[in-house]
Amino acid sequence: MSKSSLWKKSLSSTGIGLAALVVSFTALSGQASAETIEGIEVDDSVVSENAEAVTAALPCITSTGVITCFDKAGDKVFVKDTAGDGKSAVGLWKTNYDRSGGCRNKLGAGKWAECNYNMREGGYIQLQNARYDGDSGRFTYPNPRVYSIWLPIG
């Protein structure tokens, strides 16, 4: 086989490998999109069809307008918007291994949303409630701020 043919075959294989990597990464993230708000990467959520039943057995935190829960079995953050005020409910989170983010519920009041993450087994996560005001582009926090205890992952 000529050097030119080997080079083309190598490039073709590399392209396929990179495409598979991009597809795999997108599938692992599990979210439609993310934006950075106040230095925090916030994922848009998807509708959670069975959240009422699932979250009943999960650790959750509650504040005005927001309920945030964590499912360690699936590394999922559930967020319910409990206020019809035009702001989005956001479940912010951070791990004990320097990873952080947020799950934004843009579905409206009374609806549960979920974000699916791939967390490190054996780590810990802490939740915080916030509201997002799209007009100002800023978070608002309950006073006093509401945090969960450090919850085990996996």
Side-chain angles (χ1 to χ4, degrees):
M1 189 177 282
S2 73
K3 285 183 183 179
S4 174
S5 296
L6 285 172
W7 179 250
K8 286 178 185 174
K9 184 175 181 179
S10 175
L11 284 177
S12 175
S13 297
T14 302
I16 291 169
L18 287 174
L21 179 62
V22 169
V23 169
S24 297
F25 179 75
T26 303
L28 282 176
S29 70
Q31 308 308 33
S33 64
E35 73 180 286
T36 301
I37 303 169
E38 297 181 23
I40 301 169
E41 188 172 305
V42 178
D43 296 302
D44 286 339
S45 56
V46 296
V47 176
S48 183
E49 301 295 333
N50 61 347
E52 287 294 339
V54 170
T55 58
L58 298 179
C60 301
I61 56 173
T62 302
S63 62
T64 302
V66 186
I67 301 172
T68 303
C69 307
F70 178 67
D71 180 3
K72 70 179 182 178
D75 295 344
K76 293 181 181 180
V77 173
F78 291 87
V79 181
K80 185 175 185 177
D81 188 335
T82 60
D85 60 1
K87 295 179 182 177
S88 299
V90 181
L92 299 174
W93 56 268
K94 65 181 178 180
T95 67
N96 66 327
Y97 54 91
D98 295 325
R99 186 173 168 202
S100 63
C103 180
R104 180 177 173 192
N105 181 340
K106 296 195 313 187
L107 304 172
K111 295 189 170 73
W112 279 100
E114 70 180 66
C115 294
N116 191 4
Y117 299 101
N118 187 14
M119 304 283 186
R120 182 187 298 169
E121 300 300 314
Y124 289 84
I125 187 170
Q126 185 177 48
L127 306 174
Q128 178 183 12
N129 284 344
R131 309 277 298 145
Y132 176 70
D133 182 347
D135 293 336
S136 70
R138 306 215 29 103
F139 291 121
T140 57
Y141 300 91
N143 188 12
R145 290 191 181 198
V146 176
Y147 299 90
S148 72
I149 61 170
W150 285 96
L151 303 165
I153 300 169

